[in-house]
């Protein structure tokens, strides 16, 4: 079969399988990134304004997650996490369940991303000029209003570079889920290569798809940066 026939969207071509794998990869990346972002916001505020016990817990979380290789973490969290959930269900008298691979993948990527997001956002919040926070307090703003009107908008320009990198890392971290049998782009590529022995062709195609995701992401990141930096002096 020619390369075009192998990459055709319909069988016996494998193009459709690769695109389905890409869709699963992007679903996990988006879900994991958003979960990580939520963890990061909570973690950053917890580390900056929480009590000593909460700060110690969050410090342990970010240190452990950043110290262990992501491949080891993903395997550990994927299998151990599922086991812990089922043990808790049995403890409370419920039957064990088969945890959906997509949900497990999103949670695993989210937990890993959360540790890095925590540090990115903590640094961004610390970069805000203290006078801005004090001015808000002087106007009698509540903590919630202060967060919504001053802290989050002011920290965004400082956080965008780090968060952009985390998004690109999330898109590539999904490939690590192939080792636990989750069918995303990399595993779909390996299956296509194994069935046809055209490994170079399919892995080159997968590389092009990952590159396409990065290029499209870069366009989106530039748009967000232009909006966030609007009215700020250009130091570039």
């Amino acid at each position: 079969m020619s390369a075009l026939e192998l990459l055709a969207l319909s069988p016996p071509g494998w193009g459709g399988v690769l695109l389905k794998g890409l869709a699963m990869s992007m679903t996990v990346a988006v879900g994991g990134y958003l979960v990580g972002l939520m963890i990061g916001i909570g973690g950053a505020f917890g580390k900056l304004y929480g009590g000593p016990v909460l700060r110690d817990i969050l410090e342990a979380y970010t240190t452990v997650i950043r110290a262990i290789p992501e491949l080891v973490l993903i395997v550990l969290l994927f299998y151990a996490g599922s086991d812990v959930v089922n043990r808790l269900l049995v403890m409370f008298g419920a039957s064990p369940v088969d945890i959906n691979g997509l949900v497990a993948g999103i949670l695993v990527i989210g937990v890993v991303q959360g540790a890095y997001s925590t540090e990115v956002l903590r640094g961004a919040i610390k970069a805000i000029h203290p006078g801005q926070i004090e001015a808000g307090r002087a106007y009698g703003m509540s903590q919630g209003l202060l967060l919504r009107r001053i802290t989050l908008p002011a920290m965004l320009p400082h956080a965008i570079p780090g968060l952009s990198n985390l998004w690109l890392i999330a898109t590539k971290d999904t490939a690590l889920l192939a080792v636990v049998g989750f069918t995303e782009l990399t595993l779909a590529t390996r299956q296509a290569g194994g069935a046809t022995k055209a490994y170079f062709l399919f892995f080159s195609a997968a590389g092009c798809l990952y590159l396409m995701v990065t290029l499209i992401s870069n366009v989106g990141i530039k748009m967000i940066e232009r909006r966030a930096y609007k009215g700020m002096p250009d130091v570039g």
Side-chain angles (χ1 to χ4, degrees):
M1 292 177 70
S2 68
L4 288 178
E5 289 173 327
L6 287 171
L7 293 173
L9 295 179
S10 55
W14 287 80
V17 175
L18 296 190
L19 291 181
K20 285 181 183 175
L22 176 64
M24 293 304 293
S25 292
M26 291 304 99
T27 302
V28 172
V30 171
Y33 183 77
L34 292 178
V35 170
L37 197 56
M38 287 188 286
I39 294 174
I41 292 172
F45 280 92
K47 286 187 99 170
L48 289 171
Y49 307 116
V53 174
L54 178 60
R55 285 203 297 268
D56 288 344
I57 291 173
L58 290 170
E59 183 65 30
Y61 162 63
T62 55
T63 300
V64 169
I65 294 295
R66 290 185 299 157
I68 300 175
E70 291 178 14
L71 179 60
V72 176
L73 274 174
I74 284 172
V75 174
L76 180 66
L77 292 174
F78 194 90
Y79 289 117
S82 303
D83 186 53
V84 168
V85 169
N86 278 323
R87 283 177 184 272
L88 288 174
L89 287 174
V90 171
M91 188 184 301
F92 289 103
S95 301
V97 295
D98 287 330
I99 296 177
N100 183 281
L102 177 62
V103 174
I106 288 173
L107 291 177
V108 168
I109 296 292
V111 169
V112 174
Q113 283 270 315
Y116 293 94
S117 293
T118 295
E119 293 304 321
V120 168
L121 295 175
R122 186 175 70 89
I125 293 171
K126 291 186 75 173
I128 300 173
H129 194 284
Q132 293 179 269
I133 306 292
E134 291 169 6
R137 287 178 178 150
Y139 274 100
M141 287 186 178
S142 64
Q143 284 297 330
L145 191 60
L146 195 66
L147 172 69
R148 186 159 50 89
R149 291 284 180 83
I150 295 181
T151 307
L152 289 178
M155 80 170 184
L156 188 58
H158 305 291
I160 286 177
L163 294 179
S164 302
N165 282 332
L166 289 181
W167 161 248
L168 295 177
I169 290 170
T171 62
K172 286 181 275 293
D173 275 356
T174 57
L176 299 176
L177 293 173
V179 299
V180 294
F182 180 75
T183 306
E184 42 64 64
L185 178 56
T186 300
L187 184 56
T189 303
R190 198 168 69 191
Q191 290 170 342
T196 62
K197 306 303 178 190
Y199 287 100
F200 181 79
L201 172 67
F202 285 113
F203 276 97
S204 297
C208 289
L209 290 174
Y210 281 118
L211 177 61
M212 181 189 70
V213 169
T214 299
L215 294 176
I216 293 173
S217 298
N218 284 342
V219 173
I221 290 166
K222 292 290 183 188
M223 292 172 64
I224 293 172
E225 284 181 339
R226 277 198 297 270
R227 186 176 179 82
Y229 297 149
K230 194 174 182 180
M232 297 178 69
D234 185 6
V235 296

